Every structure is written in C-alpha cells, then in structure tokens.
Amino acid sequence: MAQRRRMQVAGVVQGVGFRPFVYGLAHRHELGGFVLNDARGVVIEVEGAKEKLDRFAAALVEQAPPLARISALETSEIEPRGEREFAIARSAEDGERTALVPADTATCDDCLRELFDPADRRYRYPFLNCTNCGPRFTIIRGVPYDRANTSMASFELCGRCRREYEDPADRRFHAEPTCCPDCGPRLSLELERAVTLLREGKIVAIKGLGGYHLACDAASEQAVARLRAKKGREEKPLAVMTSEPELLVELGVEEEALLRSAERPIVLARRRADAPIAASVAPGNEWLGVMLPYTPLHHLLCADFAGALVMTSGNLSDEPIAFENGEAERRLGAVADAFLSHDRPIERRCEDSVVRAAFPIRRSRGYAPAAIPLPVPARKPLVAAGAELKSTFCVVRRDQAFLSPHLGDLDTELAYRAFRTDLELYLQMLAVEPELLACDLHPDYLSSKWARGRGLELVEVQHHHAHAAACLAENGETGPALALVLDGTGYGPDGTIWGGELLRFDLTDFERVSHLDPVPLPGGEAAVREPWRIAAAYLERAERPVRLADWPRVRESLKVNAPLSAGAGRLFDAASALVGVRERVSYEGQAAIELEQLAGHVEAEPYRCREEDGRILGVELIAAAHDDLTAGRDRAEIAAAFHEGVALAFSEACARAAEPRTVVLSGGCFQNLRLLASTRRRLEEHGFRVLVHHLLPPNDACISFGQAAIATYASF
Ligand SMILES: [Zn+2]
Ligand SMILES: [Zn+2]
C-alpha cells in the first residue's frame, strides 16, 4: 500500500546540489514524486512503500551533500496519487521568501582535475564550477536560487552544457552557474599576458569572486613598495596567495584546516624566517596572512606564475572594495598597470575573510551570508546598522541574524553609499522589510544617522554593551553576565570616550561596574595616529618627566582639544610609544600589535595598579614601565609585565564584582592573543566561566550582531 509524504526542507539547500541528491535518493529507493526549489527552501513529495519512505527520510538528513545545511524539516502525510516516476520540477516563485542563500565556495577537487587535464573540454577554463563549488552569494540577484536569478542568466547554456545540466547522473546536474569555453564568461586579457606583467614586477588588478584584487609579485621588494605607494597603504600587512603556504608560514593543525576549508579565508600564521617574500609585505610583523587559490582563475594564475602573489583588496586605503567593471577601472586605474577582468557581473561586493585559529578577524567571503542563530527569535524583522570602523550591518529574520560582509570604515561618502546599496541588496535577497532598527548611541556615526533618519522604531545601543551582547549571544546565551570590553573608542552616555570597561549586563540593560581611568587625548584624533602624545599625557599624569621635543607645543592642545578617553587601546598605544616600539602608526592597532610581538612569550611578574571608586588606574602601569625603562630593564620584559598587568587589573576587577559568575570578553584589544590568554587564565583561576568570540570578530565588526541581539530582546 503506497503512502505519499510532503517534506518542506529549510536551510542552505539551494545551490548546493540538493535537488540532484534528492533525485538520486528517490531513484535508489524506487519512489515516485518530485522535488523543487521554492522561496522557503526545497519541497519534496515522495510516494511508495512505507519502509522505503522511512529509509529515504533518514538518508535525506544523514547523506545530505557536503555544502547543505538543513535547519528544519517538516513532514506531512498526503493523499497518494499513484505516481511512479520521480522528477525535478520547476521552481515555485511565490510564497514567503526565506530560503537561505549559499556562500561562495572554493573550486572542488573534481573541477581542479578537469582544469588541469588537457583532454578535458574545460581544460584551463577559468570559470568552471559544479554543484559542489563555485560562485553563489556574489552572483545571486534573488531567490529561489536558479540560474535565471543570477548574473549567469545572460550566458545561454550551449548544447553540451545543457545536457550535463539536465542529466541527473551528471555531477553538473542543476549546477546553476555551470558553463564552458563555448558558452561562459571570458577574460578581458590573455592570462599569459597577465602573468608576464606580474613577472616584470607590474601591478595587475584581478577580478575575483566578490571584487577586485591588486596583485603583484610577493618576492619583489620593488613591486610591493610600488603597490604600497600607489594604494596609499604604508605598513599594514598585505595578504599573499600561494599554492605552497608551507614555504611561507608555520602551520598548525587548525591553521591548515582553515586554509583548506571550502571558505578559503586568509589565515594569519607565523611567518617563516626564510619565507621567500619581500620584507615589505608585512613589515615589522611576525604574522603573515596567506590564502590558497579559490577560483579556477586563481589556480591558473598561481600555477603559471609559480610563486607567491600579493593579493590585496582592490581599493585605496580603507575604502570599500571595487567590484564593478567600469567602477574598478575608474578607481584603480591609477594604481594598476593592467586589468585582468571578465564579463561575469559581480552582484554584491564581498572581500576576503581573515581568520586566526581561534576567531575570525574579518568575516566575509565564504561565510556571508550564512546566518548566525540568535538566542531568542525577534518578533519583528529588524536591521542593526553597526558601528563605524570595520563596519557591518545585520538583518534579522526571526532567530536568524544575517551579517553583511565587511564594508570597510564607514567614514567616507563612498563607504556610506556602499552601506546603503549593500543593505538594499540584502533586504531584497532575504525578503525582509524592517520594522525595527538598532544603531550605536554615537551622535555622528553615519550608520546611526542613517537609522535615525528612517522614521522607524529605533533602539540606540551603547557601543560596549553591543560588544558584550555580541559575545554573549553568539554563545547562545542571554545573561546576566559580566563583560570585559577592551577596545579603542566607543561613545559613552556621559559624552566621554569609553573603551576599558567592566560591565554587568544582560540583553536589555547594563551597568558600568568599573572602567579604566580616563586620560586626555592631546589633539584628539591626532593622538590616535601619534601614540607618543598619549604616552606623554600618561607620563604627566604619573608625575614622570616627559622628555619629548614636541611635548611643550602639543601640551598646549590639552587646553583646547583633549577629549577624555578610557580606551584600553590607548593605554596599549601609550605603553608601546613609551618602550620605543612605535611613536607613530600608519594603521589602527599597529602599536599594540608590535608591543604584543615584543612581549612574545617572555615571562614577567605583572605590574600592579589600584582601583579607586570604580576607576582602574592604568597610569600606574605606565609609571611602572617608565621606572623600569629608566632603570635599564629589558624592553621585552617590560612589554610582558605590562600585558600581564592589564590582564591582572581587569580580572581582579571581575573578582571584586563577584557576580554573575560568567565573564564575556570582547573588543578589538582581545585580538591580542597574549592579553586574551592571560585574562582568560586569571579569570578561570578566580572560578569564572569565560565566554569568548569564535564565530564573530572581537573587533567592531561584531557590533551590528550585538545591537541585533539587544533589539531582538527588546522586541520580544
Ligand atoms: Zn566543482
Ligand atoms: Zn557550454
């Protein structure tokens, strides 16, 4: 006696070979019916003997394709129709659109074999892909995910590609972006030509998955220096693409796994002393960001060039990455000597992701737009606008938070435009119309101004409360908890700059238990670029002599432009300038990064500082460092004692606060591995449970998610 079941499958089930998989499964179990994509995911109807239906249902979950993520499966019994054949039916366009869009995926091994097989008809074709790999998020215009809804719509399949696409036994069965040299996209420049130019030390702008890279020979000091000068990037490390990462960096098990994952992020690993690359790729930095080639074009480039390539985002300084053909030529024309472009449009920008073994630093290509679950579902669809540096936004549909890719620093008109267009695209893709908005309390952030101008219900969230909430919510919890939030800058409700905070909080509210004692920043923003100014302000507060030629002049600025800052980032800047690591910086966080490297694994007793009326006297750490320096103590030991001192001061503040017994750690300073490890160890010794970031970056890129968690709770 035949039964018929209808199954609605939700999750990442479109564009990952799910329908062909279901088709094959139904055939193996001799079931009739159909499978189709709809706006919510995949719908299956199967008909046959009960035992076979049961086995089919079990296999559906257990054997799902590698890139599929089933988040919900609803099954109902329906009236049998006597159907014997199984078919892939046309997509249903109507209904509420909640299907999850898959992320872009690195070229799979099967496709790689074809790419380098002279007998294959796709031999050396830079755009080959299949159901298990290729572009997704960056070519999608809407859901359901079908070729017609991607930027491949304008490339009509040739006869042979069509046969593969329609053959259930073929590995390209319903591979939406599939194509070949006869019917697919083409390069704008001969690959050989591009490789020759790179060998000659030229800069080539290369169109990738989510935007353009600027590429040059990573071994050529001259080429790298020229790229830096033209891009306006003095010292911030540049990422390198290589098919032999083991020549450049030391790889642990975790780094190796991340490098080879389908997401193919840039992985920060320790640079080998004998790495055959120019020193100027990552000056003064022990860490190097490396990635493997992840598109067929990259594989061909790396194979033909036979060396490591600098592959840095196609932009000037911290602007959004260029991704449209005309736009790229306009913006990068003065930097690049040539363009290796192609005619497959990129629908949305998506920069490379950057990760460390423990946590991401930039969550973007390969990860976006995968949803991060919220601990409670939102009653209303909402948008959280994020912060300003390392900007992201976050769109919430029920209990799913969809973070944007990295948008760069939201302090230029160009970046603000990108924020608005990318948000519009996200809302379209997710079919969300927000009824609630969240933003930072800051009066001047462009993201906050945008949110305030929409005329919708608005939740304004304090910067460090958002940090704390992000870490708590990504760990699936709602609090209450304590939070140590150590970062550079965030607007405090009292009008001063916060950033060295111990909060007691949950997803509705927070209390500032204690904080770093604020110091004036002589010259405001200028002090962030010139940490010696902050060191001088600290030394003066510590009643130590300031022996700096410029100080008398800069000291005058204390009277006119010296906002108070409790930012832990500034305390690190001061220590760094004091021990002579870094008096000026050319990118955010540089001074602290170099201080961390100086400290290395050197052991030292922590410097001590007192807390008075909820103010942690960071000035005493600087005074101790100054006195040791004057006494001729080793600088690495001073850097180590300072790191341990910060960790000790904040963990003891938690111990005094005592309750609750969970502490979350967030803020850009916790990208400092020594600070993170030491703080964590000390808190655990006090018996606290410690939660850290692992899905989201500890820096301001997590702010939008934290705002979303708080606004969700507010709407609950
Ligand atoms: Zn493939
Ligand atoms: Zn073709």
PDB file of all heavy atoms in Angstrom, residues 121-122 157-161 179-184, ligand 2:
ATOM      1  N   ARG A 121      37.292  19.047 -21.876  1.00  0.00           N
ATOM      2  CA  ARG A 121      36.839  20.172 -22.698  1.00  0.00           C
ATOM      3  C   ARG A 121      36.868  21.488 -21.918  1.00  0.00           C
ATOM      4  O   ARG A 121      36.760  22.566 -22.485  1.00  0.00           O
ATOM      5  CB  ARG A 121      35.459  19.911 -23.281  1.00  0.00           C
ATOM      6  CG  ARG A 121      34.285  19.997 -22.311  1.00  0.00           C
ATOM      7  CD  ARG A 121      33.013  19.563 -23.026  1.00  0.00           C
ATOM      8  NE  ARG A 121      31.825  19.816 -22.220  1.00  0.00           N
ATOM      9  CZ  ARG A 121      31.118  20.932 -22.279  1.00  0.00           C
ATOM     10  NH1 ARG A 121      31.478  21.914 -23.076  1.00  0.00           N
ATOM     11  NH2 ARG A 121      30.053  21.087 -21.518  1.00  0.00           N
ATOM     12  N   ARG A 122      37.030  21.423 -20.610  1.00  0.00           N
ATOM     13  CA  ARG A 122      37.165  22.656 -19.815  1.00  0.00           C
ATOM     14  C   ARG A 122      38.612  22.884 -19.370  1.00  0.00           C
ATOM     15  O   ARG A 122      38.863  23.632 -18.426  1.00  0.00           O
ATOM     16  CB  ARG A 122      36.238  22.619 -18.605  1.00  0.00           C
ATOM     17  CG  ARG A 122      34.757  22.686 -18.963  1.00  0.00           C
ATOM     18  CD  ARG A 122      33.895  22.847 -17.732  1.00  0.00           C
ATOM     19  NE  ARG A 122      32.483  22.975 -18.046  1.00  0.00           N
ATOM     20  CZ  ARG A 122      31.654  21.965 -18.221  1.00  0.00           C
ATOM     21  NH1 ARG A 122      32.102  20.732 -18.110  1.00  0.00           N
ATOM     22  NH2 ARG A 122      30.374  22.176 -18.507  1.00  0.00           N
ATOM     23  N   LEU A 157      23.253  28.492 -21.978  1.00  0.00           N
ATOM     24  CA  LEU A 157      23.984  27.225 -21.976  1.00  0.00           C
ATOM     25  C   LEU A 157      24.090  26.670 -23.390  1.00  0.00           C
ATOM     26  O   LEU A 157      23.108  26.655 -24.131  1.00  0.00           O
ATOM     27  CB  LEU A 157      23.248  26.209 -21.100  1.00  0.00           C
ATOM     28  CG  LEU A 157      23.313  26.414 -19.591  1.00  0.00           C
ATOM     29  CD1 LEU A 157      22.306  25.502 -18.894  1.00  0.00           C
ATOM     30  CD2 LEU A 157      24.708  26.137 -19.071  1.00  0.00           C
ATOM     31  N   CYS A 158      25.285  26.186 -23.749  1.00  0.00           N
ATOM     32  CA  CYS A 158      25.442  25.517 -25.039  1.00  0.00           C
ATOM     33  C   CYS A 158      24.832  24.116 -24.937  1.00  0.00           C
ATOM     34  O   CYS A 158      24.466  23.666 -23.851  1.00  0.00           O
ATOM     35  CB  CYS A 158      26.924  25.440 -25.423  1.00  0.00           C
ATOM     36  SG  CYS A 158      27.878  24.330 -24.374  1.00  0.00           S
ATOM     37  N   GLY A 159      24.756  23.410 -26.068  1.00  0.00           N
ATOM     38  CA  GLY A 159      24.114  22.095 -26.092  1.00  0.00           C
ATOM     39  C   GLY A 159      24.737  21.126 -25.102  1.00  0.00           C
ATOM     40  O   GLY A 159      24.035  20.453 -24.345  1.00  0.00           O
ATOM     41  N   ARG A 160      26.087  21.065 -25.067  1.00  0.00           N
ATOM     42  CA  ARG A 160      26.744  20.096 -24.194  1.00  0.00           C
ATOM     43  C   ARG A 160      26.546  20.457 -22.723  1.00  0.00           C
ATOM     44  O   ARG A 160      26.306  19.590 -21.883  1.00  0.00           O
ATOM     45  CB  ARG A 160      28.229  20.031 -24.525  1.00  0.00           C
ATOM     46  CG  ARG A 160      28.458  19.459 -25.916  1.00  0.00           C
ATOM     47  CD  ARG A 160      29.877  19.690 -26.366  1.00  0.00           C
ATOM     48  NE  ARG A 160      30.778  18.654 -25.839  1.00  0.00           N
ATOM     49  CZ  ARG A 160      32.080  18.626 -26.131  1.00  0.00           C
ATOM     50  NH1 ARG A 160      32.616  19.567 -26.871  1.00  0.00           N
ATOM     51  NH2 ARG A 160      32.829  17.671 -25.644  1.00  0.00           N
ATOM     52  N   CYS A 161      26.656  21.737 -22.398  1.00  0.00           N
ATOM     53  CA  CYS A 161      26.436  22.143 -21.003  1.00  0.00           C
ATOM     54  C   CYS A 161      24.990  21.869 -20.589  1.00  0.00           C
ATOM     55  O   CYS A 161      24.723  21.441 -19.467  1.00  0.00           O
ATOM     56  CB  CYS A 161      26.777  23.612 -20.814  1.00  0.00           C
ATOM     57  SG  CYS A 161      28.552  23.938 -20.767  1.00  0.00           S
ATOM     58  N   CYS A 179      29.128  26.364 -16.937  1.00  0.00           N
ATOM     59  CA  CYS A 179      29.425  26.959 -18.235  1.00  0.00           C
ATOM     60  C   CYS A 179      30.684  26.305 -18.784  1.00  0.00           C
ATOM     61  O   CYS A 179      31.286  25.465 -18.112  1.00  0.00           O
ATOM     62  CB  CYS A 179      29.637  28.466 -18.098  1.00  0.00           C
ATOM     63  SG  CYS A 179      30.915  28.885 -16.894  1.00  0.00           S
ATOM     64  N   CYS A 180      31.060  26.684 -19.983  1.00  0.00           N
ATOM     65  CA  CYS A 180      32.271  26.145 -20.597  1.00  0.00           C
ATOM     66  C   CYS A 180      32.854  27.201 -21.528  1.00  0.00           C
ATOM     67  O   CYS A 180      32.256  28.261 -21.697  1.00  0.00           O
ATOM     68  CB  CYS A 180      31.948  24.845 -21.336  1.00  0.00           C
ATOM     69  SG  CYS A 180      31.133  25.115 -22.911  1.00  0.00           S
ATOM     70  N   PRO A 181      33.998  26.915 -22.142  1.00  0.00           N
ATOM     71  CA  PRO A 181      34.612  27.935 -23.008  1.00  0.00           C
ATOM     72  C   PRO A 181      33.682  28.350 -24.151  1.00  0.00           C
ATOM     73  O   PRO A 181      33.824  29.453 -24.685  1.00  0.00           O
ATOM     74  CB  PRO A 181      35.861  27.237 -23.559  1.00  0.00           C
ATOM     75  CG  PRO A 181      36.129  26.104 -22.650  1.00  0.00           C
ATOM     76  CD  PRO A 181      34.838  25.714 -22.029  1.00  0.00           C
ATOM     77  N   ASP A 182      32.735  27.477 -24.547  1.00  0.00           N
ATOM     78  CA  ASP A 182      31.848  27.817 -25.662  1.00  0.00           C
ATOM     79  C   ASP A 182      30.721  28.753 -25.257  1.00  0.00           C
ATOM     80  O   ASP A 182      30.202  29.497 -26.083  1.00  0.00           O
ATOM     81  CB  ASP A 182      31.216  26.546 -26.250  1.00  0.00           C
ATOM     82  CG  ASP A 182      32.266  25.668 -26.911  1.00  0.00           C
ATOM     83  OD1 ASP A 182      33.309  26.216 -27.321  1.00  0.00           O
ATOM     84  OD2 ASP A 182      32.047  24.440 -26.978  1.00  0.00           O
ATOM     85  N   CYS A 183      30.295  28.684 -23.989  1.00  0.00           N
ATOM     86  CA  CYS A 183      29.079  29.422 -23.648  1.00  0.00           C
ATOM     87  C   CYS A 183      29.246  30.349 -22.436  1.00  0.00           C
ATOM     88  O   CYS A 183      28.337  31.102 -22.113  1.00  0.00           O
ATOM     89  CB  CYS A 183      27.925  28.448 -23.399  1.00  0.00           C
ATOM     90  SG  CYS A 183      28.168  27.355 -21.992  1.00  0.00           S
ATOM     91  N   GLY A 184      30.391  30.290 -21.758  1.00  0.00           N
ATOM     92  CA  GLY A 184      30.501  31.026 -20.498  1.00  0.00           C
ATOM     93  C   GLY A 184      31.264  32.332 -20.608  1.00  0.00           C
ATOM     94  O   GLY A 184      31.599  32.799 -21.693  1.00  0.00           O
TER      95      GLY A 184
HETATM   96 ZN    ZN B   2      28.892  25.291 -22.573  1.00  0.00          ZN
END
